Amino acid sequence: MSASAAAMSLREEAFFTPMGADRLFMFLHDAEQSQASVGVVLVHACAEEKHWAHRVYVNFGRSLAASGIPVLRFDVRGEGESSREFEDVDLDTRIEDTVAAVQTLAGRRPDLARIVLLGHRTGSMVAAGAAARLGAQVAGLALWDPVYDGREYLLQVLRQHLATQMATFGRVTTSREELLRQMDDGGWVYLEGYGFGGNFYRQLVASQWVRDPRVFERPVLIAEVGATASVKLSNRLAGLAAVHPQITPVAVREAPFWRETRDYHRSAPALGRVTRAWLEKLCA
Amino acid sequence: MAREALRLNAAVHISRGPEGFGNYGILDLPDGPADRFDVACVLVSAGIKPRVAPHRLYRKLAAEFTARGIPVLRLDFVGMGDSEGELPETSMEDVYRLVQSGRHLVEVRAAMDQLQARHGTRRFLIGGLCGGAITGLLVAENDPRVVGLYSIGMPVVLVGHESTKKGELTESRLEAERQVIRNKALRLTTWARFLTFRSDYRLLWSVTRGTLWRALTGKRRTFSDAQPELPPDLDPNFVRAFFRLAEQRVPSLLLFGSNDHHLWEYKDKFVALWARRIATLTEVVHTHIVEGANHILGDPAWIAEARAVTGRWLDAQVLRVANQRATLALEIEEVRDEARFLQLREEWTDLLARSASNSVTLTWEWLTTWWQVYKAGRELRIVLVREGGRLIGAAPMLMRRGIRLSHGLVPTRRLELLASGEAVGHAICSDYINWIIENGREAEVSTAMLNQYSQHRDWDEMVLPDVPIDSPAVQALQAAARANGLVCEELEREACPYIVLPRSWDGYLQALGSSHRYRVRRALRDFEAVGGRYVVAETPEQVEEMMRILIDLHQARWTAKGELGAFGSKWRLGFHKALMPLALEKGWLRLGVLYAGEQAIGAIYNLVYDGRVYFYQSGIVPQESSTLRPGVLLHAHEITAAVEAGCREYDFLKRGESQYKESWARESRDLVRLRIARPSMHNTLTHVARRLRTRAGIVKRRIQARWS
């Protein structure tokens, strides 16, 4: 094992922040002599995608902090170490939590001139929602492989559920249509232990963040990820960038570190590079 | 959907292994103020995923431990989760393989050392899911502090072993696959896949060749001819550690999902080979299979089952065995003799200060005074626990002479706490009485005390009234009683309102509701305007005089209402007359009188002990002027004095029917009446009698309501 370069000069703190009757777990990566004018709040992906990606988040936070940019990671309620259960929270609570995280970073580092939200997968939807709500307090938005369409994301989730049914029962016991109907009727579908349904399901399906002009009132980096060298921008992102000149669209070759693969992903170097370059440009 | 809220009582943990990297963790704590824990659980990261485990499984399971007073540390390995350091491996298989080989044992031991240093923890339960289970086992094998292994989906086969890669399936796996084929055989889509070359023919061949061979030849044939006696991929570290731990009689719980390949491997590659030896270990090795479950128990019903099994295992195996073992080194003394009780003053006082039960009602002075007044018809049954001659526990119990009728029907021999059980109208109301146990030793000491009482068959039930429910001693006693197969029930609860005192009287006033704040300020202003004085007794003579005033004022008011009053009983009076001089000598007494001119209009009797003020009793003359409120003034003066003295709490004791206490105090804590009994016919009869009595009370009230 080798110490990360960041570990030498980092100042890190894990702590809980009250949120009404609940509390949020937060982790601040900072450097001893940081004089940066920008800080980053990282909004994680959802459910098991968050777990698989966790080490990438940690190391990206440490690498930015080592170069003087403080990064606040936090667990939304219903996930990680924060209070409540997954089934008791929705997109709105996630956005509230993100707003609280931004306020926490601003409170701890009042010298920061800009705060950037970095969202990953469904965390991008949440970051976009929080940016729209916070207005000028969020100076930039970086989105890693964002979920544009909640329904498509859920269909992916349900595909995995069918695979789990096959593995567990040897057959599909409940079809995808039936599962969708269950969620429409207010029921729950458990995928790898996470209950999907209720408000979260309805809000994911209804989310129209790409059509919210408030999201694009600031520089926005959207990085789409593909595992092969031939990765290119999706038509959707190209179209979006044509409408909103603030968007910096990029297609990055990177392994899907938020999924279970044969490889152990401790960092996302290509995503890290483009994000760091964009941050530098933002501060210039 | 009803769901239990995840716990909030948690603290960040950082420990460092020999390489200097910080291991991050979260310590889930039991409810209550205790920060010393004799037993703690360490749930080790399952591998790649952080310390909450898949779908936060560890957080859900931790609730079973914390409910029993056991904190749970959930720990990230170096290079994983939030921890420092970095792993050099690039493939998942390599990471899992190195976890399985015990790479992180030293980090787990460092975390245990830190818990021991910070929280006084001497005994550990350890384990987790998959990689956490094997890491826990390898730590437990060589660490005498481990008193239980908690495993979910234990891997017994070496990750990435060549023979595993060849795809040889275990007999359990084959049977599971055969079941799948049987389920799908009648479906057209299955045959469509088969006939269009989309089936897994290799798997089908593996699964069906044995059946085909039998059908063709009528003989059973094993196809793994090359397989040696010991499966080549069986983890030798697991086998060694498993038997070593079991032979040390350390209890293990091995939880598996029935659809987890780890179960199939455990059964076919391990249990099948050592079946006879394992059969001798059933007392310490408990295996439970959650039907239908996968490796990560990813369904609420599977988690609920795992939690229930965990709770039962903790109660029946771990806590009982661990505490019984720990009690062997303890020395027990039973005190039935008054003279011996009176000799204990110094030791008793020292122990009380080292316990979480430190309250004025448990002081040697309070209890011996009470005993002198109320001893008729009672026998002392105090149990003392010492370690190396040092007193670490005292159960201040007594036994009533003769047989009493429980609920008016069932003859009962009762053990009860000293300073309780007085007849109606004669009670001292000793709130916060309890067993006194040194901080952090509650589990083993309460077990030892309970064992001692259980040796005697001359009692039917043990009653502990007015014990604080969040006290570590009470929680440990409840756990010990359940672990020993006793019935333990909470009969009644009552709240004690109290003020967490701020640094200034003004600060306190600001926190009050506006109308009450106005009443207090107005009363103080008017009292000053009439030249009022508040005097506190400082000499024995003043105590005598003010006590008389207190009693006169109190009794005049209550007897006018047709009630006995707090000093109307000769026993109560005797107790306070004996206690007050002692309390004055110790500096605990606050006996104050309010004078308006020369007339005493109110008196208050408080006790100050260990930074806490106990409001015990008062007496007032209701005033014609509605703004001169003696009750308000007494508390205002006493709270001011408490703030100035640097006290941390002003406790109104049990609320009873005194609603006014809530206008002063925002906080409250519950006292309960705890009953412990043997699960006998007597206990059943007592339950029936209690129900009959409750029912009779309801009927009586209905009749009274109808005829009044």
Side-chain angles (χ1 to χ4, degrees), chain B residues 545-573:
Chain B
E545 184 196 338
M546 290 188 186
M547 186 181 177
R548 185 184 49 74
I549 294 170
L550 169 74
I551 293 169
D552 288 349
L553 295 181
H554 180 91
Q555 289 303 114
R557 186 150 178 250
W558 289 95
T559 50
K561 292 181 183 178
E563 295 190 29
L564 189 60
F567 303 100
S569 144
K570 69 173 182 180
W571 287 284
R572 280 173 163 177
L573 203 54

Side-chain angles (χ1 to χ4, degrees), chain B residues 214-225:
Chain B
R214 263 202 310 280
L216 292 171
T217 65
K219 294 177 191 168
R220 183 176 287 272
R221 179 179 166 186
T222 304
F223 282 84
S224 49
D225 295 333

Side-chain angles (χ1 to χ4, degrees), chain A residues 36-152:
Chain A
S37 60
V38 65
V40 174
V41 172
L42 198 156
V43 190
H44 60 74
C46 174
E48 287 304 276
E49 288 190 348
K50 168 191 192 301
H51 281 179
W52 289 116
H54 188 87
R55 197 63 187 172
V56 171
Y57 300 155
V58 170
N59 280 329
F60 184 65
R62 283 183 177 152
S63 71
L64 278 190
S67 57
I69 300 174
V71 176
L72 182 76
R73 288 188 296 111
F74 71 103
D75 293 338
V76 298
R77 281 174 290 176
E79 302 206 41
E81 301 292 356
S82 293
S83 44
R84 295 214 206 171
E85 291 209 61
F86 187 83
E87 294 78 7
D88 298 331
V89 299
D90 52 31
L91 215 47
D92 284 343
T93 61
R94 285 172 162 83
I95 290 171
E96 283 166 23
D97 298 344
T98 307
V99 169
V102 170
Q103 312 296 14
T104 302
L105 180 60
R108 291 202 165 219
R109 286 292 306 268
D111 55 319
L112 294 176
R114 300 181 186 86
I115 290 183
V116 168
L117 277 172
L118 166 59
H120 177 221
R121 303 282 295 147
T122 49
S124 296
M125 298 172 107
V126 177
R133 194 177 296 183
L134 285 164
Q137 199 176 352
V138 175
L141 196 56
L143 308 177
W144 286 0
D145 207 56
V147 172
Y148 298 111
D149 183 322
R151 191 173 177 81
E152 273 175 27

Side-chain angles (χ1 to χ4, degrees), chain A residues 1 23 48 51 54-55 59 62 73 78 80-85 87-88 170-171 188 262 264 266, chain B residues 1 3-4 8 10 49 51 53 56 59 74 78-79 81-83 85-87 89-90 92 184:
Chain A
M1 280 171 262
R23 63 184 192 175
E48 287 304 276
H51 281 179
H54 188 87
R55 197 63 187 172
N59 280 329
R62 283 183 177 152
R73 288 188 296 111
E81 301 292 356
S82 293
S83 44
R84 295 214 206 171
E85 291 209 61
E87 294 78 7
D88 298 331
R171 64 197 166 90
W188 299 90
R262 285 171 184 271
Y264 171 50
R266 65 177 63 77
Chain B
M1 185 182 297
R3 273 184 295 269
E4 188 180 335
L8 294 177
K49 291 189 185 175
R51 58 186 174 263
R56 306 208 290 177
R59 289 191 60 178
R74 296 179 283 104
V78 160
D82 291 330
S83 291
E86 213 53 86
L87 303 178
E89 295 80 33
T90 54
M92 290 287 196
K184 292 159 75 175

Side-chain angles (χ1 to χ4, degrees), chain B residues 537-548 580-581 584 589 591:
Chain B
E538 289 175 354
T539 65
E541 294 74 28
Q542 283 177 312
V543 168
E544 200 172 323
E545 184 196 338
M546 290 188 186
M547 186 181 177
R548 185 184 49 74
M580 279 190 189
L584 180 73
L589 184 66
L591 188 58

Side-chain angles (χ1 to χ4, degrees), chain B residues 147-264:
Chain B
V147 294
L149 172 73
Y150 181 64
S151 145
I152 307 154
M154 172 72 80
V156 303
V157 164
L158 290 166
V159 176
H161 192 274
E162 280 307 310
S163 69
T164 314
K165 288 180 180 168
K166 282 181 195 163
E168 283 290 342
L169 301 181
T170 66
E171 187 49 41
S172 297
R173 170 82 193 275
L174 287 171
E175 185 46 41
E177 296 293 350
R178 279 183 205 119
Q179 186 57 43
V180 171
I181 290 171
R182 281 194 287 271
N183 287 343
K184 292 159 75 175
L186 295 178
R187 291 161 57 190
L188 285 176
T189 48
T190 305
W191 288 101
R193 285 178 69 85
F194 183 79
L195 296 170
T196 53
F197 306 105
R198 285 183 291 152
S199 295
D200 184 343
Y201 298 102
R202 189 174 156 184
L203 178 68
L204 281 172
W205 173 240
S206 300
V207 171
T208 54
R209 62 182 174 170
T211 313
L212 288 172
W213 179 262
R214 263 202 310 280
L216 292 171
T217 65
K219 294 177 191 168
R220 183 176 287 272
R221 179 179 166 186
T222 304
F223 282 84
S224 49
D225 295 333
Q227 186 173 315
E229 198 172 307
L230 276 186
D233 55 353
L234 182 62
D235 179 3
N237 289 337
F238 164 77
V239 178
R240 184 200 63 242
F242 176 91
F243 286 118
R244 199 160 165 196
L245 195 67
E247 278 151 15
Q248 291 167 30
R249 313 304 291 171
V250 174
S252 316
L253 175 62
L254 304 177
L255 277 168
F256 290 100
S258 67
N259 284 307
D260 179 4
H261 69 86
H262 291 82
L263 170 66
W264 305 331

